[in-house]
Amino acid sequence: MTYDFDTQIDRRNTGSNKWSKYPADVLPMWVADMDFSAAPPIVAAITERLQHPVFGYCSAKPELREQIVADMQAKYGWTISAEDIVFLPGVEPGFNMAIKALLKPGQTLAIQTPIYRPILMAPRHWELSQVDLRVDLPVAEQRSSLALADAVLLCNPHNPTGKVYRRDDLLALAEATGDKPIISDEIHCELLYDGRRHIPIASLDPSVAQRTITLMSAAKTYNIPGLKAGFAIVTDTALREHFNASRLGMVDSVNILGLEASLAAFRDCADWRDDAVAYLQENRDYLAKAVAERLPGVRMEAPEGTYLAWLDCSALGLADPQSYFVEHARVAFSAGSDFGARYNQFVRLNFGCTRQTLVEAVDRLASTPAFAGGR
Ligand SMILES: Cc1ncc(COP(=O)(O)O)c(C=O)c1O
């Protein structure tokens, strides 16, 4: 491994959401960013841009568009054109724009549950009905739910379970949705374990691409979410125009440093990414073993992608596992109820941290009355 992911970087007093929400003695393992420094080419690209002292409104350079086109071909065998790409300040505004473009109030959106909170909230924002797709069941068994929906918002790789949809699942989804639109949040697509390969649903077939808005970003994989840059790929010209028109004065252009960082990430950081994924996979394996051996009553399925683990704490009989762990272990996870009302016995653990932090978190958990007896 060339890069160092073991050094503990003090993130307090840097404006970090993750590190400022809880008191100093609490280990934060909630919001989805990692505690690693960005890859050196990203830091260099930003530093170089700062040497030019004018920071006016900006657009993506042709070089970034060409890089993304080449990446889609090389990584996924997906042929797109430079003009198919729409740059956005984030994936979250992207899926809200897509919903606005595709659906009218009163229509029905299918979402997976449990699900990342801003996706869970989206049907309510846009006055839509919601139909749930179960992440733990094959898509082929959920045709009747899909039949009720006017569009699907897919999150793949999936937050919070780390599930990576296989080709047969994606084909079943494409088939079951007929000609209905698909919004596909693929923000975690380069964080896959055990040699898995990501498949953008739009890459299955040009007819699927034609009705799909794909959302991606360098933010998660290269750990630059604070730079606020992402993009949509919309191959159908009319749909792309409609999507762009849904900015409605609320979705602005992209931060200039975010664009520079994205280009450096995609062009120059493949080796850093591979090292990061290898390190995260070891974190995942450590955690899965530690949960099985030291946290009896907690169930965890090893995530196939993402740096998120979804822990089922139902057997512990706690009123509120998230608050319990903050209070007794001084470790802060995301509360399961954020991902759907039914999941209040779950927590989401972010293992995008140094091994030392992860080991410390497990030690703290294991010594609480929930596991050490005497509760
Ligand atoms: C599935 C998913 N989509 C979107 C986002 C947010 O992306 P952005 O910060 O680019 O809006 C996250 C962040 O955690 C996420 O996990």
Side-chain angles (χ1 to χ4, degrees):
M1 189 166 293
T2 311
Y3 295 96
D4 168 26
F5 299 95
D6 281 321
T7 298
Q8 297 275 111
I9 300 173
D10 184 0
R11 299 183 61 196
R12 293 197 191 274
N13 302 314
T14 63
S16 154
N17 285 353
K18 191 179 187 180
W19 286 85
S20 56
K21 182 169 175 183
Y22 292 96
D25 66 327
V26 172
L27 274 184
M29 307 186 89
W30 61 288
V31 69
D33 67 26
M34 303 195 276
D35 292 334
F36 310 138
S37 76
I42 294 178
V43 178
I46 294 173
T47 309
E48 193 187 321
R49 179 60 187 82
L50 290 176
Q51 303 318 303
H52 191 293
V54 184
F55 303 107
Y57 292 117
C58 59
S59 333
K61 294 176 186 161
E63 212 181 336
L64 175 55
R65 288 184 182 273
E66 284 152 22
Q67 182 67 43
I68 292 170
V69 170
D71 275 3
M72 293 303 130
Q73 192 69 55
K75 291 174 183 165
Y76 315 118
W78 184 22
T79 308
I80 63 162
S81 308
E83 63 270 17
D84 297 342
I85 304 164
V86 179
F87 288 93
L88 301 165
V91 162
E92 182 182 349
F95 58 69
N96 279 291
M97 273 169 64
I99 293 170
K100 173 67 186 157
L102 295 167
L103 294 168
K104 293 190 176 42
Q107 288 191 299
T108 302
L109 180 67
I111 60 172
Q112 300 137 297
T113 48
I115 193 66
Y116 171 60
R117 187 163 186 79
I119 294 181
L120 183 72
M121 301 308 286
R124 270 165 268 179
H125 286 331
W126 299 104
E127 297 170 36
L128 301 170
S129 300
Q130 170 185 328
V131 63
D132 290 357
L133 290 180
R134 284 186 48 182
V135 181
D136 56 341
L137 289 181
V139 175
E141 289 173 28
Q142 302 183 77
R143 284 175 199 281
S144 52
S145 304
L146 282 166
L148 300 172
D150 296 295
V152 181
L153 202 177
L154 178 71
C155 177
N156 176 39
H158 180 256
N159 173 359
T161 66
K163 175 175 170 150
V164 174
Y165 281 71
R166 296 190 314 265
R167 182 174 290 276
D168 54 353
D169 259 332
L170 295 172
L171 284 168
L173 188 89
E175 204 242 310
T177 47
D179 56 3
K180 293 171 190 171
I182 300 170
I183 304 161
S184 192
D185 175 339
E186 303 183 10
I187 194 168
H188 296 275
C189 65
E190 291 193 82
L191 293 168
L192 268 56
Y193 304 126
D194 313 308
R196 285 184 180 80
R197 302 290 298 271
H198 175 70
I199 305 173
I201 191 164
S203 72
L204 290 177
D205 187 289
S207 69
V208 181
Q210 214 193 358
R211 59 185 167 101
T212 299
I213 296 176
T214 304
L215 297 157
M216 291 182 176
S217 164
K220 296 292 162 188
T221 307
Y222 302 92
N223 202 32
I224 49 172
L227 290 173
K228 304 313 302 175
F231 58 93
I233 300 176
V234 195
T235 59
D236 183 79
T237 310
L239 180 56
R240 191 167 58 250
E241 280 168 12
H242 201 39
F243 174 69
N244 251 322
S246 302
R247 290 178 189 268
L248 296 175
M250 293 188 286
V251 179
D252 213 334
S253 57
V254 183
N255 179 295
I256 199 162
L257 299 180
L259 291 170
E260 294 293 345
S262 299
L263 177 58
F266 294 136
R267 189 187 55 200
D268 306 324
C269 298
D271 55 347
W272 184 94
R273 175 204 60 206
D274 292 347
D275 276 7
V277 170
Y279 189 90
L280 292 168
Q281 184 172 313
E282 285 171 20
N283 270 3
R284 178 203 65 170
D285 293 344
Y286 167 81
L287 180 67
K289 192 161 179 286
V291 167
E293 291 174 357
R294 298 181 58 200
L295 307 180
V298 176
R299 280 189 45 230
M300 165 186 158
E301 273 192 41
E304 299 169 329
T306 79
Y307 45 78
L308 308 167
W310 185 235
L311 307 184
D312 179 352
C313 304
S314 318
L316 299 178
L318 303 170
D320 175 355
Q322 198 274 347
S323 306
Y324 179 89
F325 294 135
V326 173
E327 192 183 332
H328 295 272
R330 310 307 281 161
V331 179
F333 302 126
S334 301
S337 52
D338 284 353
F339 302 82
R342 285 201 301 279
Y343 302 99
N344 65 339
Q345 285 298 313
F346 287 73
V347 292
R348 190 193 71 178
L349 181 156
N350 172 351
F351 57 87
C353 58
T354 65
R355 190 80 28 83
Q356 191 188 329
T357 298
L358 190 59
V359 169
E360 169 73 23
V362 170
D363 287 349
R364 289 187 187 194
L365 291 166
S367 63
T368 62
F371 305 109
R375 176 155 43 101

